[in-house]
Amino acid sequence: EVQLVESGGGLVQAGGSLRLSCAASGFTFDDYAIGWFRQAPGKGREGVSCISSMHGTTYYVDSVKGRFTISSDNAKNTVYLQMKSLKPEDTAVYYCAASPGGVAAKVCNGYAAIDYWGKGTLVTVSS
């Protein structure tokens, strides 16, 4: 059974930090790019950060550059999103997704197929 399980969300004050984890199972992790997407209330889904170990690429949306860091532990089939200097506008449900063989930028910008989605983890940043 394919699973992408997000964890690490929660409530944090502005300026604080959180680390999200995406644990994958049921597919060949090394063959996939993994992306973090978010959806804020009343807004569309946005690609936040993506990583492709196969292509050695990462991508960050402009609004999180310098604050978020994506990393992958292929031995644990897990991708992390370290989030620092959080802002209220970062409040959203964060989802991880897996794209077969995708380049990070294309995955995050919707130009690559997504095979699997997680159920999401809520991040709330209070002002």
Side-chain angles (χ1 to χ4, degrees), residues 61-106:
V61 70
D62 285 348
S63 60
V64 308
K65 285 181 180 177
R67 300 190 297 123
F68 290 11
T69 303
I70 193 168
S71 61
S72 179
D73 186 337
N74 286 29
K76 295 182 178 180
N77 287 2
T78 300
V79 170
Y80 304 97
L81 186 68
Q82 179 69 53
M83 307 186 295
K84 298 180 179 179
S85 303
L86 283 161
K87 304 176 181 180
E89 51 264 43
D90 294 318
T91 294
V93 178
Y94 284 70
Y95 302 89
C96 66
S99 174
V103 175
K106 289 186 176 180

Side-chain angles (χ1 to χ4, degrees), residues 8-113:
L11 173 64
V12 64
Q13 287 188 331
S17 299
L18 285 173
R19 189 178 80 155
L20 305 183
S21 299
C22 172
S25 61
F27 62 96
T28 305
F29 185 79
D30 291 355
D31 291 344
Y32 281 75
I34 303 295
W36 284 99
F37 297 78
R38 66 186 178 188
Q39 187 162 18
K43 295 188 177 181
R45 188 172 58 205
E46 173 185 46
V48 176
S49 182
C50 295
I51 186 166
S52 170
S53 299
M54 175 184 297
H55 297 283
T57 57
T58 58
Y59 170 88
Y60 299 92
V61 70
D62 285 348
S63 60
V64 308
K65 285 181 180 177
R67 300 190 297 123
F68 290 11
T69 303
I70 193 168
S71 61
S72 179
D73 186 337
N74 286 29
K76 295 182 178 180
N77 287 2
T78 300
V79 170
Y80 304 97
L81 186 68
Q82 179 69 53
M83 307 186 295
K84 298 180 179 179
S85 303
L86 283 161
K87 304 176 181 180
E89 51 264 43
D90 294 318
T91 294
V93 178
Y94 284 70
Y95 302 89
C96 66
S99 174
V103 175
K106 289 186 176 180
V107 174
C108 266
N109 287 292
Y111 295 110

